[in-house]
Amino acid sequence: MDSRFQIDIVVPWVDDTDPVWRKKKAEYTGVAEIEGNSDVRYRDWDTLKYWFRSVEKFAPWVRYVFFVTDNQKPEWLNMEHPKLKWIKHTDYIPKEYLPTFNSSVILWNLNRISELSEHFILFNDDVFLIDKTEPEDFFVDGKPCDLPDIGPLYPEGFFSHLVFNNICLINRHFSLKESIKKNKKLWTAKQGIAGRLKLLLYGRKDLLPGSTAYHIQNSYKKSTFDKLWQNEYDVIHQTCLNKVRTVTDVTTWSVRDWRLLEGDFYPKKPIGRNFHTYTMKYSNEAIEYLKNRKGKTICLNDTEDETDFEVHKKMIIDEFEKIFPEKSSFEF
């Protein structure tokens, strides 16, 4: 790969069974579970080894994997692997924000990691590669691959507050109408009938009504993070002071919205899908998608609605064992 255009992967991870981490979390957050911060949000599915196997098998072109943790590491992980960068929270997050149990804090400060490439792909540990990928699946001509999907925000619980905060931030800096007018080819390319109708309906206004976030991997540029810090320091700083997620937070989904409104993207349909694991008790769709590799990535999202954790965990691991039966070089 051209050294001027290197692509890294970032994946945050937490070991929720670590007694040191659990004690620290209890000291700073209390024992009461609140929406968006329950123990479920930190639960480990024992699938991290398959995540590393998927990267080695289906994205060998990646320069480095930045493994971000609160000074935690699995016993089986080869920390000396030449492609692995173990990044602890204390390595890059300012002391005034630590310790943190707020995923937004962990992500908002990624641009402070000096070794991280300008171009990187952000994964959660529940997003897996399940088929061969190329750099052009994530970046083309240095631009993140993405496809805008605008529409109204329908309030529904805790996370709607975060989305609303993000949209307010974006609307302070951009006119949706002018952004579409300036980059019409980008906004209309690859759009189906429904997408074009939404652009026609909502794109005549200055205010962005809402933006659908694809809950899979996302391609980012560090410089976009820099722009938001420069333009919205006070808001982001306040979010980073919150030890757990709160309804006043802004999230890094606004970084994606910023580059969309800025026209800094290459129009491309998503290469993966998100599934909530709790739906597996009603439907085999997630397992069929995984088994038949209907896309290149899959997100298996855990929520408070998941009541058959052990059953679904076994189903998922059984499928991963079929796709990734061999250890990767990231494992001892």
Side-chain angles (χ1 to χ4, degrees):
M1 184 179 296
D2 189 332
S3 61
R4 294 169 298 179
F5 183 33
Q6 298 169 323
I7 301 174
D8 294 327
I9 284 180
V10 175
V11 58
W13 178 78
V14 62
D15 177 6
D16 68 316
T17 65
D18 176 9
V20 174
W21 179 86
R22 293 182 69 87
K23 180 181 179 181
K24 183 165 57 176
K25 179 173 179 287
E27 289 174 354
Y28 280 90
T29 64
V31 296
E33 292 190 358
I34 59 175
E35 189 176 3
N37 298 290
S38 67
D39 285 346
V40 167
R41 293 292 169 180
Y42 308 92
R43 181 164 57 187
D44 186 19
W45 284 66
D46 295 326
T47 52
L48 186 65
K49 66 178 66 175
Y50 303 108
W51 187 91
F52 277 98
R53 293 178 191 183
S54 80
V55 170
E56 182 166 88
K57 184 173 183 177
F58 294 133
W61 44 266
V62 164
R63 186 183 68 147
Y64 293 124
V65 172
F66 285 77
F67 183 56
V68 179
T69 76
D70 187 8
N71 200 30
Q72 298 174 319
K73 56 184 178 180
E75 293 182 357
W76 52 263
L77 187 60
N78 176 14
M79 306 306 292
E80 302 301 319
H81 193 286
K83 279 194 172 186
L84 182 64
K85 298 288 185 180
W86 181 33
I87 305 296
K88 299 178 284 298
H89 293 177
T90 52
D91 291 336
Y92 75 102
I93 300 176
K95 289 183 179 179
E96 62 184 318
Y97 303 148
L98 293 175
T100 187
F101 310 93
N102 184 341
S103 60
S104 290
V105 181
I106 296 167
L107 302 184
W108 267 121
N109 291 280
L110 291 177
N111 57 320
R112 301 179 190 273
I113 302 176
S114 59
E115 291 182 277
L116 182 64
S117 172
E118 162 72 355
H119 300 86
F120 68 95
I121 313 163
L122 177 61
F123 279 73
N124 286 339
D125 63 357
D126 59 359
V127 180
F128 303 85
L129 298 168
I130 57 173
D131 208 345
K132 181 181 178 182
T133 64
E134 302 294 342
E136 293 75 21
D137 287 317
F138 306 96
F139 292 93
V140 174
D141 297 330
K143 295 181 179 293
C145 294
D146 209 336
L147 193 66
D149 184 7
I150 62 173
L153 169 62
Y154 296 103
E156 184 186 12
F158 176 84
F159 290 99
S160 298
H161 292 276
L162 309 185
V163 178
F164 180 82
N165 298 339
N166 292 343
I167 299 302
C168 287
L169 182 155
I170 294 299
N171 281 332
R172 289 196 287 270
H173 297 275
F174 294 97
S175 160
L176 175 62
K177 178 174 65 177
E178 292 303 315
S179 293
I180 295 175
K181 181 180 178 180
K182 184 179 178 180
N183 300 288
K184 187 174 181 180
K185 289 185 178 179
L186 292 179
W187 280 80
T188 57
K190 304 296 181 180
Q191 294 283 5
I193 295 176
R196 288 176 179 267
L197 286 174
K198 284 191 280 189
L199 288 175
L200 184 63
L201 179 62
Y202 302 111
R204 300 179 180 183
K205 303 290 186 180
D206 287 320
L207 296 178
L208 176 69
S211 176
T212 298
Y214 304 110
H215 194 64
I216 49 176
Q217 76 292 329
N218 268 281
S219 303
Y220 285 115
K221 293 162 66 173
K222 285 175 72 175
S223 56
T224 315
F225 279 72
D226 293 337
K227 289 178 183 178
L228 271 89
W229 272 101
Q230 291 163 6
N231 285 278
E232 290 283 349
Y233 176 86
D234 290 342
V235 173
I236 300 171
H237 171 68
Q238 186 57 55
T239 291
C240 289
L241 290 174
N242 295 330
K243 296 301 181 184
V244 295
R245 287 191 282 205
T246 75
V247 295
T248 62
D249 288 351
V250 290
T251 77
T252 53
W253 287 110
S254 59
V255 179
R256 171 184 179 257
D257 291 331
W258 184 286
R259 62 166 165 72
L260 289 176
L261 273 292
E262 202 173 39
D264 186 22
F265 68 97
Y266 182 86
K268 205 165 198 176
K269 293 181 178 180
I271 62 171
R273 274 193 61 186
N274 168 51
F275 295 92
H276 293 292
T277 60
Y278 76 87
T279 63
M280 292 169 60
K281 60 184 167 185
Y282 308 116
S283 167
N284 290 325
E285 188 178 11
I287 293 298
E288 289 299 315
Y289 187 94
L290 178 59
K291 181 185 300 183
N292 298 314
R293 303 189 203 178
K294 294 183 178 181
K296 294 189 176 185
T297 67
I298 187 173
C299 175
L300 296 163
N301 188 221
D302 189 9
T303 68
E304 286 86 351
D305 298 311
E306 173 60 78
T307 56
D308 297 308
F309 173 68
E310 293 296 340
V311 173
H312 294 156
K313 174 180 170 180
K314 183 178 185 306
M315 291 171 65
I316 290 169
I317 289 178
D318 285 348
E319 289 304 320
F320 278 143
E321 275 295 326
K322 296 173 185 176
I323 302 174
F324 309 110
E326 304 294 333
K327 284 186 177 181
S328 72
S329 59
F330 289 98
E331 300 169 62
F332 286 121

